[in-house]
Each structure stands twice: as structure tokens, then as C-alpha cells.
Amino acid sequence: MILTRLKTIFLTLLFVCPLTFATAQAEVATLTWTQLSPTASPPARSYLAMTYDDSIGKVLLFGGFSDSGYLNDTWTFDGSNWTKINTAGAPPARAAAQMAYDRRTHRVVLFGGYDGHNDLGDTWIWNGRASTWTQASPAHSPKAVTGPMVFTDLDRRVSVYGGFDGNLYQLTMWKWFGTDWKQLHPASVPTARSSSAVGVNFRAKQIVLYAGLGDVNPLNTWTYDGSTWTLQSPSVQPATVYGASAAYDENLDQVVLFGGANGGVDQNATWEWNGSDWSQLSPTQSPGAREGAGMVFDRANGHMVIFGGQFRGVPMSDTWELTP
């Protein structure tokens, strides 16, 4: 199972008690997660890949792990309903892959994952306007890994950091240039890890990475400015989680983090990163605890969206949106 793969090397993780700030309380007084009731929905799954496809103005979902095994179906979400996209070809089934939107080429780039037997290192390109997947043939590529961190970089290209290659956690960073990957060499990088939460705040020109799984304690927060990674010293942090979900919320103007697992216990806390510190939010309603969910900001509809994940190993199929 995918969890066995992700938890091959496991650290004893500690809870950190959250601090509450009056300003944060006032700001989120009416914040709530609302469960949606789409007429069509993807089957239950966890450790799926999900991003926002700006070229078509819809949320894009691919693959994941279900009770029936590894998946390779493709779905879009328009804010009301999910639609299954029947493509002529698709990446092989996998879980714990990640994908992000390349604002230079107007394509989605998918990388990595695990198919039940092997870590994967293939690169696939999604053309939202044509509804097609195409396997890329780069001359250079990151190592095959499970749980890489794939995100839209501040220069609008897609970057990859870390992952687990079956033996070691990785700390290399690569960038996609449309036809090939190029390895980057920042002056400093986070300690090697996989399954971390990553959010990109283009307004503040900052990428934040939190926790994950690693040989070295991953209870830390790192930020990236497009050139180098910096270890931050926030006064408070969420529980040390892996398989958490994170994305930038344009309404709150903050990166929001949700869920994840801590010491094998799934969480449902909602946190925000303001650029230098974490604070726990108190929505009036919240999705159930989970790990391995997909979470993106749906720009067309102006809401953060969560789908799926798993609780105590059982895949989920619910859809939620964060409404300020």
C-alpha cells in the first residue's frame, strides 16, 4: 500500500500547541468549510494529484490510491460538478505523484509517484484545451521518487523538490523548461524529505514548505524566494505532519494548510502562513481528519477546494470549499 511506502522511515513526531491571536480571530470570524454535493464525483481516493488548470479555468485531478488499487483517471471540477475526462491516453496508474500548472507553456506538468511496485520518474504534460496527456521525453530528469513536491515556481515555470527514491529521501531541486528538466543548485535547501506541504504566494513572492517525512527531523518551515531556501523560526507551528495539503488562498492572502497525519493520527486543523509565522484558524465547520487529500484554490469561483484523502487508511470522496 502507498502508506507503507510513504512511512518506510518514520520519526516520532510531536504536537505543538497553537497560539491564538486576537487579530486572526477577528479576521476569520465567519470562516467556514462547506461540504458540496456535486451530482457527479470521482470515486474515493487518497494521495491523488490535483492542481488548478488556468487554461480552462477548472480544477484538475489525476490518479491516486483507492480500495481497488492505483488509479489513472482524469477529472475536472467547475465549482459545481466533477466531470470525468475520457482521454485517448493517460499516465500509468499511480499515487503520491504531484502536478502543477506551468504559466509559461499553459500546460500542467505531472511527475513521480508510486505504482505499487516502483517509484516513478516519468514526466507527463496535460493540455487542458485539448484534453490530452502526452508523455515528455526529456534528456535530463529528476530521480524516480514517491511524494515529490511539485509547484509553480515564482518565474511561472514548474519546479520539483525532494521525494523518496525507495532508499533515501532526496534534496535535489529541478525546473521544467518546456522540453527538459534542469537541475538547480540553490545556496541552501531544506533537509531531504517527501510528502511535504507546499504553498506558493505570488503576491508576496514567497514559497513555503512545511514538514513531511525524512531521515532528519522535518519539524521545520522553509521559504523560497526564487533563488534560495531559508529556514524560518516561527513562534508556533502546526503539528509535524506528512501528507498535509497546502495552497495559497487569494481571499485570505495567505497560504493555507489543512490536515495531514501526525504519528499515524490524521488531523483536521486549518492553519495559515502569513510570511513569517503560522496561526491556527477556527472555521465554524471543518472537513473530517485526513491525509493525502488534494487542495487547490479555484480561481474561477474564488474558493479553496479540497477533495478526498484518507482517514485511518480508508479513502474518501467528499468535496469541500473554504468560504470566508
Side-chain angles (χ1 to χ4, degrees):
M1 291 180 64
I2 188 64
L3 282 183
T4 302
R5 191 60 166 182
L6 292 173
K7 299 174 184 175
T8 301
I9 300 176
F10 184 74
L11 295 171
T12 301
L13 304 174
L14 302 177
F15 284 96
V16 180
C17 295
L19 297 180
T20 303
F21 300 94
T23 55
Q25 287 180 320
E27 177 183 319
V28 299
T30 59
L31 190 70
T32 186
W33 285 101
T34 302
Q35 185 171 1
L36 305 181
S37 301
T39 56
S41 182
R45 66 193 65 204
S46 63
Y47 287 96
L48 54 140
M50 201 162 98
T51 193
Y52 183 74
D53 185 347
D54 245 321
S55 70
I56 57 174
K58 295 179 181 180
V59 174
L60 177 70
L61 179 154
F62 174 80
F65 183 77
S66 72
D67 287 336
S68 61
Y70 294 85
L71 304 170
N72 75 331
D73 49 347
T74 303
W75 295 74
T76 60
F77 181 67
D78 62 6
S80 298
N81 286 302
W82 290 95
T83 301
K84 185 176 182 180
I85 309 299
N86 296 312
T87 60
R94 68 192 66 200
Q98 289 296 332
M99 60 186 180
Y101 184 73
D102 187 317
R103 296 188 177 188
R104 296 287 189 97
T105 62
H106 308 292
R107 301 288 189 270
V108 171
V109 181
L110 180 143
F111 179 78
Y114 184 67
D115 65 3
H117 302 284
N118 300 298
D119 300 291
L120 303 173
D122 48 347
T123 301
W124 288 80
I125 308 301
W126 168 256
N127 181 335
R129 292 173 181 168
S131 296
T132 57
W133 284 105
T134 304
Q135 185 172 4
S137 300
H140 309 88
S141 183
K143 294 186 69 173
V145 289
T146 298
M149 283 60 76
V150 181
F151 53 90
T152 306
D153 213 328
L154 296 179
D155 64 356
R156 302 185 299 159
R157 299 187 185 276
V158 170
S159 290
V160 172
Y161 172 77
F164 180 65
D165 72 0
N167 293 302
L168 298 171
Y169 292 97
Q170 302 296 306
L171 48 63
T172 56
M173 187 172 178
W174 295 73
K175 183 172 290 187
W176 178 250
F177 283 86
T179 58
D180 200 9
W181 291 99
K182 179 180 179 181
Q183 187 172 356
L184 305 181
H185 300 279
S188 63
V189 293
T191 52
R193 65 189 68 196
S194 73
S195 304
S196 300
V198 179
V200 182
N201 186 334
F202 280 99
R203 186 174 298 177
K205 295 181 172 56
Q206 185 190 74
I207 296 168
V208 60
L209 178 149
Y210 181 69
L213 291 169
D215 294 312
V216 178
N217 182 13
L219 176 55
N220 40 52
T221 301
W222 292 79
T223 57
Y224 184 65
D225 63 2
S227 299
T228 190
W229 290 91
T230 301
L231 177 62
Q232 298 293 321
S233 300
S235 60
V236 63
Q237 292 190 123
T240 308
V241 287
Y242 54 87
S245 306
Y248 172 68
D249 189 307
E250 294 182 8
N251 296 314
L252 298 175
D253 192 22
Q254 312 286 359
V255 169
V256 173
L257 180 146
F258 178 83
N262 173 284
V265 179
D266 294 319
Q267 310 290 308
N268 77 330
T270 302
W271 292 76
E272 69 175 4
W273 172 255
N274 66 7
S276 60
D277 210 350
W278 291 99
S279 58
Q280 186 171 1
L281 303 180
S282 300
T284 57
Q285 181 176 237
S286 179
R290 68 194 65 202
E291 61 182 282
M295 186 168 87
V296 301
F297 188 79
D298 181 351
R299 294 182 63 202
N301 295 285
H303 297 297
M304 189 76 78
V305 175
I306 279 182
F307 176 82
Q310 65 182 37
F311 176 66
R312 295 180 179 174
V314 179
M316 309 170 81
S317 61
D318 47 347
T319 303
W320 295 75
E321 67 179 13
L322 183 64
T323 307

